[in-house]
Amino acid sequence: MVKIKQWMTKQDGLDYLMITEGEMPVPAEDEVLVEVRTVSLNYRDTEVVMGLYTHHKSVNSPPALVPCSDMCGVILAVGPSTSPGPLKVGDRVVSTFAPKHLTGQINAEMLDSGLGGPNPGVLTTHRVFPTYGLLKVPEYLTDEEVCTLPIASVTAWMSLNGMRPMGQAGGNGEVVLLQGTGGVSIAGLQIANAAGATTIITSSSDAKLAQAKALGATHTINYTTNPDWELEVLKITSNYGADIIFELGGARTLRKSFDCVAFGGLIDCVGYLSGKEDDPGDRLNANVLALRRNVTLKGILNGPKDRFDEMLGFYEEHGIRPAVDKVFSFEESKVALKYLFSGGHFGKVVVRVNE
Ligand SMILES: NC(=O)c1ccc[n+]([C@@H]2O[C@H](COP(=O)([O-])OP(=O)(O)OC[C@H]3O[C@@H](n4cnc5c(N)ncnc54)[C@H](OP(=O)(O)O)[C@@H]3O)[C@@H](O)[C@H]2O)c1
């Protein structure tokens, strides 16, 4: 029997990730066997490995699992009686984060189909997928670029376009504010720039802000040297504010977002990089803050497969190439996850699994 290699976590910390051997999986009906080429890492993966991914009350991960959800690979075999569909052996494909989330609003059952918690993830040399959990990918993108798309780019796409109907993606002339220079933010920057938005991006690092400027950011703000960055957003926009805010910081940034959102604007609640709990003595009253500027506060949970497909068309049309910061080998996966957790990256961190 041919063996495969996979990383496993007992959700007890990045130091305790283990590389293990397993049996080559065999695809059943309506499944395919994929040779994983590349995997991109997400903040979520570090939380899962550290046992800190606990805010989705309905999602219960098993005690040990293969981490990570985002991969690009090639189909090696198709299960018996699998309907031909659009996929065949040799196709290069990308995974979707929650395979059962095909269209519309996500629900608990769809969220439960998530990869890398609660289901086995993709940091493995081979994996079986249901055919509905994969999309064919545009040829112009490298394997390293493709694997960055499922969580970071789809979440960014939904933050910008989720409130607009399918087929009516927009952003032209809007002011979009992006927090930090991680995966979601840089994907959002690229999409918003291509859509014709005015983009404002924040970072703790001037060097990263220079990289963002080179990628097309209209305005940049260092949130460490300029902690009142919300006032800077108002200044840049002549007091108008931002139409769409990618709220990635959470506890320590949301109040500031309420202060610099445009009247009638949208705050996308995506992340919690500055914490999941308010600081003592700084309890937010989201009710009053939201009514003050007639704000829409929208929780974002990745996006469905049909919107992913819509996004792929937009990427191809505009020739968008995701920003890959660093590529690690499969054996270096633990180092790669620690690097991501350190926050030193710009855009995405990738693991090359098979050549
Ligand atoms: N809801 C969803 O569907 C969804 C999907 C994807 C991600 N997320 C969440 O969104 C957040 C970002 O994810 P990611 O994968 O893009 O993370 P990431 O790539 O690890 O981003 C890390 C970067 O965020 C920036 N950052 C850290 N603290 C910040 C703060 N207080 N204010 C502004 N920026 C800060 C830093 O950028 P600088 O070095 O430039 O300062 C850091 O390098 C995470 O909380 C993640 O769990 C949610």
Side-chain angles (χ1 to χ4, degrees):
M1 197 71 176
V2 187
K3 297 280 185 195
I4 64 167
K5 282 188 179 169
Q6 50 190 21
W7 284 90
M8 295 287 292
T9 177
K10 291 183 181 162
Q11 297 166 70
D12 50 357
L14 296 169
D15 282 332
Y16 303 104
L17 271 163
M18 299 163 291
I19 197 160
T20 61
E21 269 194 352
E23 302 296 328
M24 179 66 75
V26 178
E29 188 174 352
D30 294 328
E31 291 181 340
V32 292
L33 173 65
V34 171
E35 181 187 73
V36 177
R37 290 262 180 91
T38 50
V39 170
S40 86
L41 308 181
N42 290 290
Y43 190 79
R44 168 183 192 272
D45 304 324
T46 64
E47 286 190 281
V48 168
V49 172
M50 294 187 288
L52 300 175
Y53 193 73
T54 52
H55 55 276
H56 290 296
K57 305 287 184 207
S58 62
V59 176
N60 289 310
S61 289
L65 87 165
V66 177
C68 301
S69 57
D70 295 6
M71 72 97 218
C72 169
V74 173
I75 297 180
L76 287 187
V78 173
S81 326
T82 296
S83 51
L87 300 177
K88 59 181 187 319
V89 169
D91 280 346
R92 197 168 65 125
V93 288
V94 66
S95 52
T96 59
F97 163 60
K100 289 189 178 168
H101 190 197
L102 301 175
T103 190
Q105 174 62 51
I106 195 163
N107 61 27
E109 189 204 339
M110 297 173 196
L111 189 58
D112 250 5
S113 70
L115 308 185
N119 299 286
V122 301
L123 199 53
T124 173
T125 55
H126 300 78
R127 191 187 188 284
V128 159
F129 292 85
T131 51
Y132 59 78
L134 297 169
L135 278 163
K136 276 174 78 165
V137 289
E139 290 210 352
Y140 81 97
L141 294 172
T142 64
D143 299 343
E144 285 79 2
E145 292 166 338
V146 167
C147 71
T148 68
L149 300 172
I151 285 197
S153 296
V154 173
T155 301
W157 181 255
M158 294 304 284
S159 298
L160 201 66
N161 292 309
M163 300 290 276
R164 306 181 227 263
M166 268 276 277
Q168 293 179 32
N172 192 15
E174 292 174 345
V175 179
V176 178
L177 173 64
L178 306 128
Q179 297 177 349
T181 58
V184 177
S185 188
I186 295 302
L189 176 69
Q190 294 183 292
I191 295 167
N193 282 341
T198 294
T199 48
I200 306 174
I201 188 161
T202 69
S203 175
S204 57
S205 149
D206 285 339
K208 290 183 181 181
L209 287 176
Q211 279 181 277
K213 193 84 185 161
L215 265 188
T218 322
H219 303 282
T220 62
I221 306 171
N222 186 317
Y223 65 80
T224 305
T225 54
N226 194 348
D228 297 330
W229 51 265
E230 74 281 16
L231 300 181
E232 195 60 29
V233 172
L234 290 175
K235 195 165 136 199
I236 288 169
T237 58
S238 307
N239 273 336
Y240 177 80
D243 295 298
I244 299 180
I245 300 182
F246 282 50
E247 178 47 63
L248 298 167
R252 295 199 177 143
T253 53
L254 182 56
R255 183 185 292 282
K256 289 174 181 288
S257 291
F258 273 119
D259 284 341
C260 66
V261 65
F263 275 80
L266 168 67
I267 299 178
D268 288 305
C269 296
V270 180
Y272 35 77
L273 289 159
S274 66
K276 293 181 187 174
E277 305 281 343
D278 290 337
D279 287 332
D282 188 30
R283 187 145 179 268
L284 271 185
N285 185 334
N287 181 39
V288 171
L289 291 170
L291 74 81
R292 224 178 31 171
R293 294 170 83 92
N294 209 181
V295 177
T296 301
L297 194 63
K298 171 80 175 142
I300 300 286
L301 255 181
N302 193 240
K305 186 183 179 189
D306 57 0
R307 300 298 307 246
F308 191 162
D309 207 22
E310 177 193 38
M311 183 194 84
L312 288 178
F314 183 87
Y315 265 60
E316 197 158 17
E317 184 189 337
H318 293 273
I320 298 177
R321 306 201 77 115
V324 177
D325 175 274
K326 218 169 176 177
V327 182
F328 291 84
S329 69
F330 186 59
E331 288 68 30
E332 292 171 323
S333 296
K334 195 190 289 193
V335 184
L337 276 158
K338 285 184 176 181
Y339 175 63
L340 181 90
F341 189 62
S342 78
H345 60 291
F346 177 93
K348 295 297 293 177
V349 177
V350 167
V351 170
R352 168 56 80 168
V353 179
N354 284 295
E355 285 306 321

